[in-house]
Amino acid sequence: MNIDQFGWVKLGNLNYHLQTLNLVQWKEDRIKLSEQEISVSRKGGPIAVTNSIHKISKYEKRRKILLFTSSGDYLTTITVRKEKKIYALGWHEGDELVCVLEDCEILVYSLRGELLENIEIVDSDSLSKKEKKEEKNKRRRRGTGGLGRVIRINSLIEFLDQKPEFVEIFPRGVLIYTDNNDIYLWYKGQKNFIYYPHLGIKTQPLCVSIIDQTINEQPSPIILIGLKDSTIKVITLNKDMNKNKTIQIQRVQLFKLNFQQIKIGTIETQSPAVKMSVSVSGKKFCYLTESGKVFITQEDLTSIIAIHQVNIGDLKQEKYFHNNLVWCSDDAILLHLCKPKRHLLMLGPNNTQKKFPLNDDCILISEIDGTRILLTKPFRLEFLSKVPAQVVNAFEIGSESPSSTLIHCLQLYQNKDPNADLLIRSMNKKLVRAIRECIFAAGYMIHPQAQEQLLQAASFGSSYINNSNSGFNNTSFRINKNKLVTQFAEMCYDLRILNTVRKPNIGISLTYQQLKSLGRDNLIKRLMYYMKHFIAIRICQFLKLSSNIEALVLEDWACSKILYSPNLNDKFLAKQIYEKIKMADKTHSVSFANIAKVAFQFQRKKLATKLLTLETKPQNQIPMLLEMDEIGKALKYSLDCGETELIYLVLKSLIKKFLINNNMKNINDNLNLSSKDNNNNLVTILEENFEKILPYLINYLQINNWKNLANLLLNFQKNKDLAILQSIQFFKTSSPKKKILILEEAVKNFNQSNEKIWKNLTLEQLKLLKLQTQITKTLTKKKKINFNIDIYGLSVSETLIQLIKLDQKKFIELIRKEFKIPEQRYWWLKITTLAQENRWDDLKKFSNQKSPIGYIPFFQICCDHNNLFQAEFYISKIPDIHTRFESYIQIKKFKMAAKIAVKLNNQELLDKVRSLAPKKVKLPKLVNRKK
């Protein structure tokens, strides 16, 4: 074994490094790997601990799962409220804990113990109505305040008697292989539950694995089943699987696959496969056989890369590994063996192997860049990974690479040796490569001293690139200088974050590549779950992340403060939250409405109300007030901000609150608000702002619910507004009886509000409507009315026009008398109507009476209807001779106009006639002679 000063292990041509990340600070008598089920999340995530399925008492109805950070700090306890045993524990991406119970039920929890999803497989067809009701009540009791989403799968298949045989929890979902040889596959956040029916497998399965692939943004899993007959079944989905018929069941689509939708392949093995493992990247696959051979293949499962022979001892006497056959990145495999002595066996390229002795049990967690190892005696987390080529070049003994030379130059410079300058100038173009390798190598190092050494070397080399006297000042070096500066700054940012979160009091043992894979946003989210809000805020400010992320951290801190301060005074707590957020939130991005929502959920309504007064955005404030049943305050704030949508939102809630059996109930009698505080009294607020609210109420209710609006106006004694509303509704009602009733009510309301003018106008309209009803009844009995004419709701003038058309003199006189219609108005209506009806003879008879409006309207109305013959008749009745002259000119009776001009002895009129008359028209000789 060749080990240099950094503890590297040589395996073939590659170097591996086993580094201690941190010690786990829990008590040994509390956590024992042999007696408990332990699941460790990837990327430095938390550790879940629960009693082993074999150790649980049959009388224990609730299982507890303890969550710790990777350094052993206690986070929380999750109580599984099920009378079932936990069969498997695992983690989804995003630090979500997955529990698979003994009846194939899946529970998904957050790091704070909130039930996120509950996937329950039940055949509802086999349950009676009573059992269904009991099951429904159980689900309600098992809920966690509405935080969970229950997906209930119902189908024609009997699920109740099946138990899980193998469970694979992968980052995006869960695979369950039952004792009935059925497969259920569920993806995180999906409403699709893929069901593989009985596949005709008669041989006993020994292991199950899944290669999680995505093709065209759709899941395309490959399921592998190792059988006792020395074969591995490879099950894939056809490309047209999405075209399958689906059974829509409540909120879930159950994809029941048939053999036409499944491809089943077979891989022949020399002996039965007992363990399989897929690399984190999904590019490589390995399986262990009973004969002790480990086969490593490409992702196509047919191209064998290497075959290792392993001594695994007697399988029947002792369990030789604890679910531990894992990949170390994509280059090596780690196998935890118990025979002949407990050890870790590392299988590398070119059939190379390496043993690591163990004193006790361990758990292996495959990572994207290595393997995390949880060890006991003492409890600690170690990390085994391949040493990158850049680090090998920098630190390998005898290395002459540019990065190693640059580190040597720095050491000479620190020792004030003048050869440092000569050596670094001799590097020429290799200097850029050396700087880049030092920057990358610094990210790999765990210890800050090694990081500092590499970054100092990179900084020392960069100073020569920009120095005009160094000989590195050409254009290409200046371009590389800018890139290197950016890379150097980014690496410094990342290393500062990594060194901070790796501390035992935080307990997130990340590597550089894991940080890049996890992402800064998810790291902030994990810190929030760990209750490290101060560190999260500092990281946000240090990296200058979006103000929305910083606001999210502050909101989460405030919610946690409320959760863990149940005995703190509401006023003091609200003040403390406000002062802290005001100090940190300089962009005013924090939503106090979200914090108030949490306070309200924990039944601290006063605290929620105080927090809502601090909310600056009405669109966040008002919906939360409505949710808290503070309609009065919501109405006041919506009117103050003047946003129409929010006002209508409040009015909708107001109407819904006081609407019973489609009728508005008495608000004063049904409000439970305190009369001492007028600001909280909804009645007071409505009365003070009723004039502002009324237009919105009318627009909202007058279409279909005007009765509710009328009851509301009556409740607040707004008689005038109620009467106006009834007047508006009058014009929208078609039934005459309803029109009369509405107007009678309007008259009463105008009378009570002392509105005499409005009252008289309404009485006039009511009188007209009653007369119209009387006229209609009379004419209908006599069968003299044209049923195409509807006089209901018409004005007085329109009613007269209709009666003139029907020639009902009796009713015409009645209306003229009742409504005191002026003579001139009546004459105008009648001559207009007769002309429209082409009743010229009636018009001529009517003109024999003395006209109060003269005869010019008669003449004009005939001209408007192009009846010039009738128009000439009325010219003679016009007393003014000049008007008669113009009238003759208008109807082109030039001879008659000329006679009038001669009679008046007016030369100008004579010239006008001559200029307008056609040449063919023979004018009187008197006119020609006069000229």
Side-chain angles (χ1 to χ4, degrees):
M1 180 174 66
N2 298 323
I3 303 176
D4 66 3
Q5 57 180 340
F6 283 94
W8 294 351
V9 177
K10 201 76 173 178
L11 190 65
N13 297 326
L14 301 177
N15 291 287
Y16 286 85
H17 192 189
L18 184 63
Q19 307 176 81
T20 299
L21 294 176
N22 55 265
L23 296 176
V24 184
Q25 301 296 330
W26 56 44
K27 297 180 181 179
E28 290 193 21
D29 57 350
R30 185 179 186 185
I31 306 299
K32 295 183 179 179
L33 297 184
S34 59
E35 297 180 3
Q36 292 170 316
E37 297 287 334
I38 298 180
S39 179
V40 184
S41 178
R42 289 177 177 172
K43 301 172 186 176
I47 302 173
V49 180
T50 187
N51 292 333
S52 173
I53 189 172
H54 305 289
K55 302 290 183 180
I56 182 94
S57 169
K58 64 180 181 179
Y59 301 104
E60 188 177 350
K61 294 185 177 180
R62 295 183 179 181
R63 296 289 302 277
K64 291 185 177 181
I65 304 174
L66 304 179
L67 297 185
F68 301 88
T69 66
S70 59
S71 60
D73 288 341
Y74 173 76
L75 287 176
T76 188
T77 299
I78 297 175
T79 302
V80 180
R81 301 176 182 274
K82 301 281 183 177
E83 299 175 3
K84 307 167 188 175
K85 295 179 180 180
I86 297 176
Y87 187 85
L89 277 180
W91 294 91
H92 277 167
E93 56 188 12
D95 294 335
E96 295 178 357
L97 180 64
V98 182
C99 302
V100 179
L101 304 183
E102 60 182 344
D103 62 345
C104 302
E105 186 175 352
I106 302 171
L107 305 175
V108 182
Y109 293 94
S110 72
L111 284 183
R112 288 183 180 161
E114 301 166 344
L115 180 62
L116 301 177
E117 291 186 284
N118 180 8
I119 298 89
E120 188 175 3
I121 305 175
V122 178
D123 182 13
S124 64
D125 295 335
S126 64
L127 300 177
S128 64
K129 290 184 178 180
K130 184 178 180 181
E131 289 173 328
K132 288 180 182 179
K133 188 175 180 179
E134 290 178 356
E135 183 67 24
K136 189 175 181 180
N137 293 332
K138 283 182 183 179
R139 285 169 54 195
R140 286 179 179 174
R141 291 194 297 269
R142 289 196 299 257
T144 55
L147 297 174
R149 176 169 69 92
V150 177
I151 301 178
R152 193 172 175 83
I153 312 287
N154 304 322
S155 73
L156 301 177
I157 305 138
E158 184 68 32
F159 294 109
L160 297 179
D161 296 331
Q162 298 194 40
K163 294 183 179 180
E165 186 75 19
F166 299 99
V167 174
E168 282 289 318
I169 301 173
F170 53 99
R172 296 199 306 160
V174 178
L175 172 69
I176 300 175
Y177 188 96
T178 68
D179 55 0
N180 198 29
N181 293 331
D182 290 331
I183 298 175
Y184 302 99
L185 180 60
W186 175 75
Y187 279 92
K188 171 186 173 183
Q190 294 285 330
K191 295 183 179 180
N192 300 331
F193 201 99
I194 303 175
Y195 165 63
Y196 295 77
H198 186 70
L199 302 173
I201 298 176
K202 298 180 180 179
T203 309
Q204 178 185 358
L206 299 177
C207 57
V208 173
S209 185
I210 181 171
I211 301 177
D212 182 23
Q213 293 182 340
T214 300
I215 299 176
N216 297 328
E217 298 182 356
Q218 294 292 332
S220 182
I222 300 175
I223 299 175
L224 304 133
I225 306 173
L227 302 177
K228 200 170 183 178
D229 61 356
S230 300
T231 60
I232 296 177
K233 293 292 183 182
V234 182
I235 303 170
T236 58
L237 300 178
N238 284 336
K239 295 181 179 179
D240 58 347
M241 192 205 77
N242 291 332
K243 299 179 181 179
N244 301 336
K245 294 182 179 179
T246 60
I247 306 171
Q248 185 68 34
I249 302 168
Q250 292 184 5
R251 298 171 59 186
V252 180
Q253 288 181 337
L254 179 65
F255 285 93
K256 182 181 176 182
L257 305 179
N258 54 44
F259 290 102
Q260 296 177 352
Q261 300 159 342
I262 303 173
K263 291 182 180 179
I264 303 178
T266 303
I267 299 176
E268 299 289 342
T269 59
Q270 297 177 0
S271 64
V274 294
K275 182 65 181 175
M276 295 183 288
S277 180
V278 182
S279 65
V280 177
S281 63
K283 295 180 179 180
K284 291 185 180 180
F285 171 72
C286 70
Y287 58 92
L288 172 67
T289 65
E290 278 187 352
S291 60
K293 288 188 177 181
V294 178
F295 292 84
I296 303 174
T297 70
Q298 296 285 3
E299 57 184 337
D300 60 2
L301 307 177
T302 56
S303 303
I304 297 177
I305 301 173
I307 302 175
H308 293 267
Q309 182 63 49
V310 178
N311 181 17
I312 58 176
D314 189 357
L315 294 179
K316 296 181 181 179
Q317 293 181 3
E318 184 178 353
K319 188 177 180 180
Y320 61 94
F321 60 86
H322 296 276
N323 197 25
N324 286 330
L325 172 69
V326 300
W327 283 86
C328 182
S329 186
D330 280 347
D331 303 297
I333 297 170
L334 276 179
L335 184 61
H336 179 199
L337 299 175
C338 299
K339 292 281 187 174
K341 291 183 179 180
R342 192 182 303 276
H343 65 279
L344 283 179
L345 181 63
M346 188 175 185
L347 309 178
N350 301 323
N351 293 327
T352 55
Q353 299 183 7
K354 183 62 189 174
K355 289 184 180 180
F356 296 91
L358 294 175
N359 296 326
D360 203 349
D361 289 340
C362 74
I363 292 179
L364 305 179
I365 306 97
S366 184
E367 298 281 4
I368 193 171
D369 57 344
T371 302
R372 193 181 303 269
I373 307 171
L374 179 61
L375 296 167
T376 58
K377 296 183 181 180
F379 270 105
R380 66 193 184 277
L381 271 176
E382 294 193 349
F383 187 67
L384 179 64
S385 62
K386 184 180 74 172
V387 181
Q390 293 87 343
V391 180
V392 174
N393 292 338
F395 291 109
E396 191 175 32
I397 297 175
S399 174
E400 296 181 357
S401 65
S403 56
S404 179
T405 305
L406 182 58
I407 294 172
H408 182 57
C409 289
L410 175 64
Q411 293 172 348
L412 292 175
Y413 175 75
Q414 290 173 343
N415 295 328
K416 299 182 180 180
D417 191 332
N419 291 325
D421 183 68
L422 296 175
L423 185 58
I424 199 169
R425 289 179 188 276
S426 66
M427 294 179 67
N428 201 2
K429 294 183 178 180
K430 294 181 181 179
L431 180 59
V432 174
R433 175 187 165 190
I435 296 171
R436 189 175 288 115
E437 285 186 351
C438 286
I439 293 172
F440 182 86
Y444 170 80
M445 307 309 293
I446 298 293
H447 301 289
Q449 294 84 356
Q451 298 169 3
E452 185 178 357
Q453 181 185 8
L454 289 164
L455 291 176
Q456 282 180 350
S459 177
F460 178 66
S462 299
S463 64
Y464 272 80
I465 291 179
N466 205 28
N467 191 343
S468 59
N469 297 323
S470 63
F472 297 99
N473 200 30
N474 56 42
T475 305
S476 62
F477 277 105
R478 285 198 298 272
I479 294 172
N480 286 322
K481 168 72 174 180
N482 296 332
K483 292 182 180 179
L484 291 173
V485 168
T486 303
Q487 293 174 0
F488 184 86
E490 288 292 327
M491 182 59 71
C492 289
Y493 287 148
D494 291 334
L495 287 178
R496 187 171 180 183
I497 293 170
L498 286 171
N499 291 333
T500 300
V501 300
R502 284 171 183 163
K503 293 179 180 179
N505 62 329
I506 297 176
I508 302 178
S509 53
L510 281 171
T511 64
Y512 176 74
Q513 286 187 336
Q514 291 169 19
L515 175 63
K516 290 298 181 184
S517 176
L518 179 65
R520 291 170 174 175
D521 293 351
N522 288 326
L523 176 60
I524 298 296
K525 181 180 177 182
R526 184 179 287 178
L527 287 168
M528 288 160 47
Y529 279 128
Y530 282 15
M531 304 296 291
K532 305 296 180 182
H533 297 93
F534 179 77
I535 300 297
I537 287 291
R538 285 290 179 261
I539 291 175
C540 290
Q541 294 172 349
F542 177 66
L543 297 176
K544 297 179 181 179
L545 298 180
S546 169
S547 59
N548 294 332
I549 299 176
E550 188 173 346
L552 187 64
V553 177
L554 291 171
E555 289 175 18
D556 189 79
W557 167 82
C559 296
S560 302
K561 187 74 176 175
I562 294 170
L563 176 63
Y564 294 107
S565 305
N567 300 323
L568 208 58
N569 180 268
D570 289 341
K571 186 177 180 180
F572 177 77
L573 183 57
K575 182 180 179 181
Q576 190 180 34
I577 290 173
Y578 172 69
E579 289 177 350
K580 293 288 185 182
I581 290 178
K582 183 181 178 182
M583 190 185 307
D585 183 27
K586 297 179 181 180
T587 59
H588 305 288
S589 303
V590 173
S591 173
F592 283 94
N594 294 338
I595 305 172
K597 185 175 183 179
V598 174
F600 183 68
Q601 287 177 349
F602 286 98
Q603 297 170 2
R604 301 186 69 170
K605 188 174 180 180
K606 290 183 179 180
L607 175 61
T609 305
K610 290 180 182 296
L611 291 171
L612 279 176
T613 58
L614 305 173
E615 178 61 57
T616 57
K617 297 179 181 178
Q619 60 269 25
N620 296 336
Q621 181 186 45
I622 292 172
M624 189 60 217
L625 284 169
L626 294 176
E627 187 176 339
M628 295 167 54
D629 204 23
E630 291 284 347
I631 300 179
K633 285 191 174 183
L635 181 60
K636 183 180 178 181
Y637 292 153
S638 63
L639 291 172
D640 290 343
C641 74
E643 292 191 18
T644 307
E645 292 182 3
L646 295 176
I647 295 173
Y648 281 126
L649 179 65
V650 177
L651 291 179
K652 182 179 179 181
S653 299
L654 177 69
I655 293 163
K656 185 178 180 180
K657 180 178 178 63
F658 300 109
L659 193 67
I660 292 182
N661 297 328
N662 237 7
N663 290 313
M664 196 73 75
K665 63 183 180 181
N666 192 309
I667 296 178
N668 289 318
D669 295 339
N670 291 280
L671 276 176
N672 294 321
L673 299 174
S674 175
S675 59
K676 297 180 181 179
D677 189 358
N678 292 329
N679 293 326
N680 292 336
N681 195 317
L682 179 57
V683 176
T684 304
I685 295 173
L686 283 171
E687 289 176 347
E688 290 176 353
N689 300 278
F690 202 83
E691 297 300 327
K692 296 180 181 178
I693 302 171
L694 184 60
Y696 299 101
L697 277 172
I698 291 174
N699 289 334
Y700 190 81
L701 290 174
Q702 66 181 352
I703 299 175
N704 297 317
N705 296 315
W706 74 275
K707 288 184 178 179
N708 292 328
L709 178 57
N711 291 334
L712 186 66
L713 293 170
L714 183 62
N715 189 59
F716 285 94
Q717 298 179 357
K718 301 292 181 179
N719 300 99
K720 179 183 175 181
D721 297 321
L722 178 57
I724 293 172
L725 175 65
Q726 290 168 337
S727 301
I728 294 171
Q729 195 63 31
F730 163 80
F731 292 102
K732 295 185 176 183
T733 306
S734 58
S735 172
K737 292 182 180 180
K738 290 183 179 180
K739 283 178 177 284
I740 292 173
L741 293 175
I742 290 172
L743 286 182
E744 288 176 348
E745 290 294 326
V747 169
K748 292 180 183 178
N749 288 310
F750 279 130
N751 186 38
Q752 291 178 3
S753 58
N754 295 323
E755 295 289 340
K756 294 183 179 180
I757 297 175
W758 288 94
K759 172 188 172 184
N760 294 334
L761 290 174
T762 309
L763 282 172
E764 291 288 318
Q765 183 64 42
L766 181 60
K767 186 196 300 182
L768 175 62
L769 186 59
K770 289 181 178 180
L771 278 175
Q772 289 171 344
T773 306
Q774 179 185 348
I775 292 169
T776 303
K777 287 182 179 180
T778 304
L779 295 180
T780 303
K781 288 180 180 179
K782 294 181 179 181
K783 299 182 180 180
K784 292 185 178 181
I785 192 168
N786 182 1
F787 289 97
N788 293 325
I789 301 175
D790 188 5
I791 63 174
Y792 288 119
L794 299 179
S795 65
V796 175
S797 298
E798 291 171 340
T799 305
L800 277 176
I801 289 172
Q802 298 299 330
L803 292 173
I804 291 169
K805 289 179 180 180
L806 297 172
D807 199 19
Q808 296 295 319
K809 296 179 181 179
K810 178 183 176 181
F811 292 117
I812 291 172
E813 292 301 322
L814 179 62
I815 289 178
R816 286 181 61 188
K817 181 180 177 181
E818 288 292 335
F819 295 99
K820 299 178 182 179
I821 298 174
E823 194 75 15
Q824 292 87 346
R825 180 183 173 190
Y826 169 69
W827 275 69
W828 268 108
L829 289 172
K830 185 161 185 177
I831 64 173
T832 303
T833 305
L834 292 175
Q836 288 175 350
E837 296 290 311
N838 293 322
R839 293 164 58 181
W840 305 109
D841 293 338
D842 292 339
L843 185 62
K844 190 177 288 186
K845 290 179 182 179
F846 186 62
S847 67
N848 292 333
Q849 302 177 29
K850 185 178 180 180
S851 174
I853 59 174
Y855 293 94
I856 295 176
F858 286 82
F859 166 78
Q860 195 62 46
I861 203 75
C862 292
C863 292
D864 291 342
H865 288 80
N866 294 321
N867 195 335
L868 302 182
F869 178 76
Q870 291 290 336
E872 186 178 1
F873 171 77
Y874 297 106
I875 294 175
S876 60
K877 294 189 176 188
I878 297 173
D880 184 38
I881 192 169
H882 288 87
T883 306
R884 290 205 302 271
F885 173 80
E886 294 295 337
S887 300
Y888 279 124
I889 292 293
Q890 183 178 346
I891 64 174
K892 298 181 181 181
K893 295 293 182 179
F894 299 109
K895 290 183 179 180
M896 298 300 296
K899 289 180 182 180
I900 293 175
V902 171
K903 184 177 180 180
L904 293 173
N905 196 19
N906 191 323
Q907 185 63 39
E908 292 182 1
L909 296 179
L910 291 173
D911 292 340
K912 183 177 181 180
V913 173
R914 175 171 286 281
S915 63
L916 293 174
K919 293 181 180 180
K920 295 181 181 180
V921 176
K922 294 181 180 181
L923 298 175
K925 293 180 180 180
L926 180 62
V927 175
N928 292 331
R929 190 180 300 117
K930 185 68 178 174
K931 184 178 178 183

